[in-house]
Amino acid sequence: MSHHIEDSRNSCALHGALQVYEAIEGVVPVIHSTSGCGVQHYLGGTRLSGGNAPFGSAPVSSTNIREKHVVFGGGSRLREQLKNSVKVVQGDLYAIVTGCSIEMVGDDVPAMAKEGLDQDWPVVYANTPGFRGDVHQGYQLAVRALIEQLPDIWKGASPAPAGLVNIWGIIPNQDPFWRGNLRELGRLLEAIGLVPNLLLGDGQDVESWKKVPGAAFNLAVSSWGELPARLLEERYGTPFISLAGLPVGTAAADLLYQLTGELGLDQPRIDAVIAREEARLSHQFARLADTYYRTGFQREFALIGESAQVVGIGEFLAKSLGLLPRLLVITDNPPDPVQKALVTRLNPIVPGYETDIIFSEDRAGIGASVRDSGAGIVLGSSLEQEAAEELGVPFLAVSFPLADRIVLDRGYAGYRGATALLEDLGSVILSDSYHQVV
Amino acid sequence: MSEKIGKHIAIYGKGGIGKSTTTSNISAALAESGYRVIQIGCDPKSDSTTILRGGNDLPTVLDTLREQSRVRLDDISAIGFGGVLCIEAGGPVPGVGCAGRGINAAVEQLQDLKVFEEFKPDFVLYDVLGDVVCGGFAVPIRDGLADRAFVVTSSDFMAVFAANNLFKAVTKYAPSGGARLGGIIANSILAPYATSLIDDFADRTGSRVIGYVPRSLTVAQSELYGKTVIEAVPQSEQAQVYRDLAKFIVEDEEAIIPRPLNGPELKKWAREWGDKIFEVEAGVVHEMASI
């Protein structure tokens, strides 16, 4: 049966690819599409993700094709735009991403990229029309293009340090806490003697990507990261593990032990790292105890977000903090087998307690489910704030779109992410309790 | 769209089947009878109207779109035999761009130029590329642009296949105001069975054949001189065939929604005809058939 979707939070594949390329220093994206694709990416994507939009709205090169390019082909327009982009913007890599109309027409984009390469311009291309999927497929198409095309451009891989681990599956901006999450995962890997290859975000550049083939291991922290990990296993035989969600709090220990097993790391060192991190978190729990009981932390919650967030945050809240998962809404529309696996994993999180699990990207439907849930606290995107207000319960914005929080360094992954979550969640509960008393 | 001026007719058919020749000869015959005629070639090859205008070059509508210059009707049209206004939509080179969108853009451009208001035609003939390969090529039969569509076919299976595809497009668009089917023009009739085969296809699909054009050296010769048969050999029998077709189109305005065959039906029908033709060629005599 058909149904309408109100305010979908999943943008198109072109935008997902742009979000990848914009997160790598020195990469100059070139949009080959009609005008408006880049602006829409700014308006509907980067501007709504924790106040991190690029200064000056959408400073991205675009062919802005017109009807004559549709009729006669847009190859020459792309050639011209690529040439101009190379002249105007100094980059380490130029990445062509294509929109719907140009893919309907069937422009020979690989040939245009090759023309660039023949002139010694480092050019890659990703065919990313919106009809190939949403922002998540766009992420996959963009990283796939880099994995497949970069080795030819740079004539083989750069030497990678021993113990290098590529991290996949965190989509810039679609996870508003992506920088902080990547950084914390990197910190934990470093602590156990590995070398994290974060690939995206602050300071990550094409040098990081040159090392990808030589990594010892690939770590996917969402189902969307499994595709690049599998691709690298096929091409280079690199082993990988794929997690259903972000490891938050104690779940990070499970990840570190798993890596220890996979990579044959030094067990006493890992034990020491985990003991230190767990002790710190336990100490924080203890300090929170008075507020926890006084304000009634333990309550039913509704959590709305991407599968990786729902798994990571939901399990932490339920298993470590004793909250009850009344409603979990997964918004990233994962494929059917992944959905089945998620349901198996998440129900029940708390034995004997029934959790409603919904897969939806429809604001109206999600809002209705939140209102019906009767939850005592709502964690979701800015789109769920209204429903939380109607319920009269505290609300914490944790997922995209995140329109009213600034996120510069914060993340909810790992041990430090657990601390940040305790602070943020505790603050909204405490604030609500305080204002009710006053 | 403003009120339609003149009768608009779209002529479809498989590539190389003789669509442009047939259309041009019908245009010439209409013009000879005193009608004001516009023929619009909707094919990137841009050679629909060649034999109406002695083979001279004619800039296409889409060439002007590419250049983005201000365009006048005079720039993209030529007066051909009998005063027929000849226009070529044009399109991209093979393998590049979207010819379907090109047809759409060209028709819009012609409407912007108010071609029909200025020329005040009695008949507008759209000569449309081959099979209905995508939505763009269905433009002339959508949106009420043309009133009637005709299909040119030979007795070759692929030509009939293309005709059947046109029927599918007509069936899709006619209920919402698109063109209906005027009929089938049987072309290049040479083999003895050809007429029966096309008649049978018409019967099966609830359509009709409006004329049979025999394969003729006169047509080939006239084309070599860059002329229609009407112009080059006006007294010939072949010219009369085209005049009869034109007369039919003028006088008989019946148009229907056909019943295209689905894939398996079309294949089964083709196999049956394959068997019949084999039997004719091999001289098979069925029981009692010779009595």
Side-chain angles (χ1 to χ4, degrees):
Chain A
M1 201 177 88
S2 63
H3 63 281
H4 71 276
I5 294 174
E6 187 179 315
D7 292 336
S8 169
R9 59 205 77 199
N10 297 320
S11 191
C12 77
L14 170 68
H15 297 165
L18 278 173
Q19 283 162 218
V20 170
Y21 294 142
E22 285 175 349
I24 307 168
E25 271 187 32
V27 173
V28 180
V30 178
I31 300 173
H32 187 29
S33 189
T34 45
S35 55
C37 289
V39 173
Q40 192 56 36
H41 165 59
Y42 164 72
L43 292 175
T46 48
R47 205 182 61 162
L48 297 172
S49 187
N52 282 275
F55 185 60
S57 74
V60 57
S61 176
S62 172
T63 55
N64 289 358
I65 61 150
R66 306 296 296 269
E67 185 159 50
K68 67 175 178 178
H69 305 114
V70 172
V71 174
F72 294 104
S76 55
R77 180 73 266 278
L78 177 58
R79 182 187 290 125
E80 182 186 33
Q81 190 66 25
L82 198 55
K83 186 177 150 195
N84 292 344
S85 301
V86 170
K87 262 189 205 164
V88 174
V89 192
Q90 193 178 0
D92 299 321
L93 183 70
Y94 298 84
I96 303 166
V97 289
T98 55
C100 299
S101 47
I102 220 67
E103 291 293 344
M104 291 290 287
V105 169
D107 262 9
D108 192 359
V109 175
M112 290 296 116
K114 187 172 180 306
E115 274 192 24
L117 291 173
D118 290 344
Q119 299 181 68
D120 289 330
W121 301 336
V123 181
V124 293
Y125 66 91
N127 301 103
T128 54
F131 53 77
R132 288 191 79 176
D134 66 20
V135 65
H136 307 92
Q137 279 82 24
Y139 163 84
Q140 292 181 326
L141 290 164
V143 297
R144 181 179 199 127
L146 294 176
I147 290 168
E148 291 181 343
Q149 296 170 43
L150 288 184
D152 288 338
I153 294 177
W154 286 316
K155 311 293 178 233
S158 286
L164 187 75
V165 178
N166 302 317
I167 302 177
W168 305 101
I170 293 180
I171 305 176
N173 293 327
Q174 192 66 14
D175 173 1
F177 299 90
W178 63 282
R179 286 189 182 85
N181 287 341
L182 276 170
R183 200 172 299 127
E184 170 66 357
L185 290 171
R187 183 185 73 85
L188 291 172
L189 294 188
E190 265 176 357
I192 61 168
L194 295 170
V195 182
N197 199 9
L198 306 183
L199 297 167
L200 303 170
D202 310 329
Q204 298 297 308
D205 56 17
V206 292
E207 290 304 316
S208 314
W209 286 84
K210 286 182 184 176
K211 294 175 193 151
V212 164
F217 202 77
N218 286 298
L219 169 63
V221 291
S222 78
S223 64
W224 305 110
E226 193 168 318
L227 181 135
R230 281 198 185 284
L231 204 57
L232 289 161
E233 184 189 47
E234 282 166 22
R235 290 175 78 97
Y236 306 109
T238 322
F240 73 93
I241 52 174
S242 178
L243 308 182
L246 289 170
V248 180
T250 304
D254 298 337
L255 168 64
L256 297 184
Y257 280 129
Q258 212 174 340
L259 288 171
T260 305
E262 293 279 348
L263 291 162
L265 302 177
D266 176 30
Q267 187 72 38
R269 176 177 178 175
I270 279 72
D271 289 342
V273 168
I274 291 172
R276 191 179 69 227
E277 297 289 340
E278 290 283 337
R280 195 174 58 86
L281 188 60
S282 296
H283 186 56
Q284 289 169 345
F285 278 140
R287 282 153 57 200
L288 197 62
D290 178 71
T291 310
Y292 184 95
Y293 288 109
R294 187 163 45 80
T295 60
F297 252 56
Q298 195 181 37
R299 57 182 76 190
E300 292 182 317
F301 69 92
L303 171 60
I304 303 96
E306 304 246 307
S307 50
Q309 294 171 308
V310 168
V311 169
I313 294 174
E315 290 188 341
F316 174 73
L317 294 185
K319 291 181 173 173
S320 295
L321 208 57
L323 275 71
L324 296 165
R326 181 80 286 283
L327 172 69
L328 302 176
V329 183
I330 292 168
T331 59
D332 53 348
N333 198 19
D336 285 346
V338 176
Q339 290 195 12
K340 284 196 181 77
L342 285 168
V343 170
T344 307
R345 174 167 179 158
L346 294 173
N347 204 3
I349 301 181
V350 179
Y353 176 81
E354 186 72 23
T355 298
D356 289 336
I357 300 169
I358 295 173
F359 295 88
S360 175
E361 51 185 311
D362 170 33
R363 176 187 187 167
I366 293 170
S369 299
V370 170
R371 279 186 289 271
D372 292 345
S373 73
I377 184 166
V378 177
L379 301 91
S381 78
S382 295
L383 298 175
E384 281 72 58
Q385 186 157 8
E386 192 183 348
E389 282 169 4
E390 284 179 38
L391 275 176
V393 300
F395 169 76
L396 179 64
V398 296
S399 53
F400 180 85
L402 195 67
D404 62 352
R405 282 187 73 178
I406 297 292
V407 182
L408 297 176
D409 196 45
R410 216 159 187 71
Y412 291 139
Y415 285 101
R416 289 193 177 167
T419 302
L421 191 56
L422 288 178
E423 288 177 349
D424 294 346
L425 183 82
S427 294
V428 296
I429 291 176
L430 186 60
S431 170
D432 181 63
S433 162
Y434 175 74
H435 287 105
Q436 280 184 18
V437 172
V438 174
Chain B
M1 214 169 91
S2 57
E3 197 181 335
K4 199 180 288 176
I5 298 167
K7 295 196 164 73
H8 291 239
I9 286 157
I11 298 182
Y12 282 79
K14 179 183 169 295
I17 210 68
K19 254 183 339 291
S20 297
T21 308
T22 307
T23 309
S24 296
N25 274 291
I26 292 171
S27 288
L30 289 168
E32 191 187 53
S33 301
Y35 293 108
R36 289 177 68 76
V37 181
I38 301 177
Q39 181 168 327
I40 302 170
C42 299
D43 186 333
K45 290 204 307 292
S46 314
D47 59 357
S48 166
T49 61
T50 306
I51 58 171
L52 280 168
R53 49 190 171 77
N56 296 325
D57 281 346
L58 175 62
T60 69
V61 179
L62 290 173
D63 284 342
T64 63
L65 179 77
R66 193 208 291 256
E67 303 306 326
Q68 280 193 327
S69 54
R70 270 189 72 80
V71 59
R72 295 174 307 133
L73 179 57
D74 292 351
D75 298 333
I76 48 103
S77 64
I79 299 294
F81 172 77
V84 176
L85 187 72
C86 302
I87 295 171
E88 296 286 352
V93 296
V96 181
C98 179
R101 180 63 212 171
I103 305 264
N104 218 322
V107 168
E108 281 175 16
Q109 180 88 293
L110 291 176
Q111 285 170 346
D112 288 348
L113 286 171
K114 299 197 178 306
V115 171
F116 310 126
E117 289 85 341
E118 301 229 340
F119 190 78
K120 296 184 175 51
D122 300 305
F123 288 93
V124 180
L125 272 63
Y126 300 86
D127 173 16
V128 193
L129 168 69
D131 201 348
V132 184
V133 287
C134 71
F137 292 93
V139 164
I141 57 165
R142 276 177 9 201
D143 308 329
L145 198 66
D147 318 289
R148 283 177 287 165
F150 292 89
V151 63
V152 181
T153 185
S154 70
S155 58
D156 291 343
F157 177 68
M158 289 315 293
V160 175
F161 181 82
N164 194 59
N165 274 355
L166 172 74
F167 290 3
K168 287 180 181 170
V170 169
T171 309
K172 175 174 172 52
Y173 291 117
S176 54
R180 291 176 173 234
L181 184 73
I184 297 169
I185 299 169
N187 196 36
S188 292
I189 300 301
L190 187 65
Y193 62 83
T195 307
S196 310
L197 184 146
I198 298 170
D199 282 346
D200 188 41
F201 173 70
D203 278 350
R204 299 282 182 109
T205 53
S207 58
R208 60 176 178 171
V209 182
I210 68 156
Y212 305 88
V213 183
R215 189 165 180 83
S216 157
L217 206 57
T218 318
V219 177
Q221 279 175 330
S222 304
E223 282 200 335
L224 290 171
Y225 290 115
K227 289 179 178 174
T228 58
V229 177
I230 301 284
E231 183 183 7
V233 203
Q235 304 305 323
S236 62
E237 276 182 35
Q238 194 75 12
Q240 195 52 44
V241 170
Y242 290 122
R243 285 191 192 102
D244 290 344
L245 271 177
K247 188 163 180 283
F248 191 97
I249 288 169
V250 171
E251 292 177 355
D252 188 323
E253 295 193 358
E254 188 187 324
I256 52 104
I257 300 177
R259 298 187 304 271
L261 302 177
N262 64 29
E265 284 171 352
L266 191 62
K267 278 183 194 150
K268 183 167 175 286
W269 175 83
R271 264 198 308 276
E272 284 168 8
W273 269 96
D275 292 346
K276 281 182 198 166
I277 293 164
F278 171 77
E279 286 167 6
V280 169
E281 300 283 318
V284 174
V285 178
H286 285 284
E287 196 179 352
M288 310 293 281
S290 58
I291 297 172

